[in-house]
Amino acid sequence: MNKLLKLFGIITSLGMLLVLLMGAVVTKTGSGDGCGNSWPLCYGEILPEAPEIETIIELSHRVVSAALGLLVIILAIWSWRKLGHIRETKYLAILSVFLIVFQGLLGAAAVVWGQSDIVLASHFGFSLASFASVVLLTILAFEASGSQKTPVVPKRIRLNLYGVTIYSYIVVYTGALVRHTGASMACDNVPFCTDGQLFAFSGPQGIQMLHRTAAVLIFVWLLYILIIGMKELKNEVTMRRGIILAFTFVCLQALSGILVVVSNLNLFLALFHGLFISGLFTVLLYLVMLSLRSRSQ
């Protein structure tokens, strides 16, 4: 049932992940101004002659993003028609279209009116939410093919999942600010800032340490949810697996963050850092969706 929709959802989800990572490459390589302040054209042309590498990176990101925007709209309409009987479908379909359009407008604003740190950080945040909404739509297509029982999730776990999901999204913005304010290597030691400084409260170092401290709390919070979840969700296999996966992602995210600093901003490690936070946030949103179903019973 809905085999083509499932396949299309997988392709669109992978494409959205590619857009997310390409955006990170644009930031890491300083290619945000690769087309000047011209949008949607590049230096006033469709294909500039003899482009620099920064121009190629920025233009490629724009082309892929535009293509994926069309795929997301098709997926939203298709899901609405085929899966409209599932409660979350229409909300996610509307949200996915809104986010992909708004994400594109933020990207255009960053190009036309300058690379504002706040705008660039918001662009990444909305890109992450857009990716997650597409993945959840795809999951609904797979759920429609089987018999999914409504999970029984204790109130304590539900509230903690709601809280850590909202908090993790806020932490994403602190990480985006670290990148866009050039604070990635403001503290070159782990876990403290520098050899002679354990902590910092202002400037680029303060931004870096704020992000690190906030990220540690996610780890502790998810560890707590994991402990109580293993005790109280013995009959909820999907919830248990989701919590284990979320904790695995936060561990990988922390490890990759440390390695990014140790390796002096290795590009591939930085991309893995973005990949893991994307996985973490998406899994948390799925757990929240299951928890909301539980509450409604």
Side-chain angles (χ1 to χ4, degrees):
M1 181 180 179
N2 297 321
K3 288 184 179 180
L4 287 178
L5 178 57
K6 294 177 189 176
L7 179 60
F8 190 80
I10 292 173
I11 293 172
T12 306
S13 297
L14 292 175
M16 287 300 297
L17 182 59
L18 176 62
V19 169
L20 200 65
L21 295 179
M22 289 181 73
V25 171
V26 169
T27 299
K28 293 295 181 182
T29 58
S31 301
D33 292 320
C35 287
N37 61 353
S38 177
W39 189 93
L41 300 178
C42 190
Y43 289 117
E45 301 176 335
I46 297 177
L47 292 173
E49 296 182 5
E52 301 288 339
I53 184 62
E54 291 82 5
T55 301
I56 295 174
I57 293 173
E58 169 66 11
L59 189 56
S60 299
H61 178 54
R62 292 188 188 185
V63 171
V64 174
S65 297
L68 262 297
L70 179 60
L71 293 186
V72 169
I73 293 172
I74 294 173
L75 177 65
I77 296 173
W78 196 348
S79 299
W80 187 297
R81 292 172 61 88
K82 292 291 186 179
L83 310 174
H85 60 283
I86 301 177
R87 185 183 66 176
E88 298 91 356
T89 300
K90 293 180 180 179
Y91 296 109
L92 287 172
I94 294 172
L95 185 63
S96 63
V97 172
F98 168 77
L99 288 172
I100 196 69
V101 171
F102 194 69
Q103 170 193 348
L105 293 175
L106 280 177
V111 171
V112 176
W113 292 304
Q115 304 288 320
S116 164
D117 296 335
I118 299 298
V119 171
L120 290 172
S122 299
H123 182 57
F124 179 78
F126 279 99
S127 298
L128 180 59
S130 181
F131 166 70
S133 67
V134 169
V135 173
L136 291 181
L137 267 180
T138 303
I139 290 175
L140 290 182
F142 280 87
E143 285 189 349
S145 299
S147 56
Q148 294 291 327
K149 70 182 186 72
T150 301
V152 178
V153 185
K155 182 178 180 181
R156 177 169 63 154
I157 295 179
R158 291 203 310 265
L159 292 178
N160 275 282
L161 284 172
Y162 301 157
V164 76
T165 302
I166 294 171
Y167 177 73
S168 67
Y169 193 61
I170 295 172
V171 176
V172 165
Y173 277 90
T174 68
L177 280 175
V178 167
R179 289 193 300 274
H180 295 302
T181 57
S184 297
M185 289 303 295
C187 294
D188 54 7
N189 274 0
V190 178
F192 303 115
C193 189
T194 62
D195 287 332
Q197 187 177 14
L198 299 182
F199 209 84
F201 299 94
S202 62
Q205 291 181 330
I207 295 174
Q208 172 66 242
M209 293 307 295
L210 171 66
H211 176 62
R212 291 188 189 183
T213 304
V216 168
L217 181 54
I218 294 182
F219 175 86
V220 175
W221 202 340
L222 280 175
L223 177 59
Y224 169 71
I225 295 173
L226 177 67
I227 293 172
I228 62 174
M230 293 303 100
K231 293 180 180 179
E232 301 182 20
L233 296 171
K234 294 181 180 179
N235 297 321
E236 300 297 338
V237 178
T238 302
M239 288 294 298
R240 284 165 62 93
R241 289 176 178 173
I243 292 172
I244 292 172
L245 183 59
F247 186 71
T248 301
F249 271 127
V250 81
C251 291
L252 292 172
Q253 179 197 1
L255 177 61
S256 62
I258 292 171
L259 293 176
V260 167
V261 175
V262 173
S263 66
N264 194 24
L265 302 182
N266 179 274
L267 177 60
F268 291 102
L269 290 173
L271 291 179
F272 274 112
H273 191 58
L275 175 65
F276 294 141
I277 187 58
S278 302
L280 171 61
F281 185 67
T282 303
V283 171
L284 286 176
L285 281 181
Y286 179 60
L287 292 172
V288 165
M289 185 172 74
L290 294 179
S291 298
L292 288 172
R293 290 176 181 174
S294 172
R295 189 185 66 173
S296 66
Q297 299 300 308

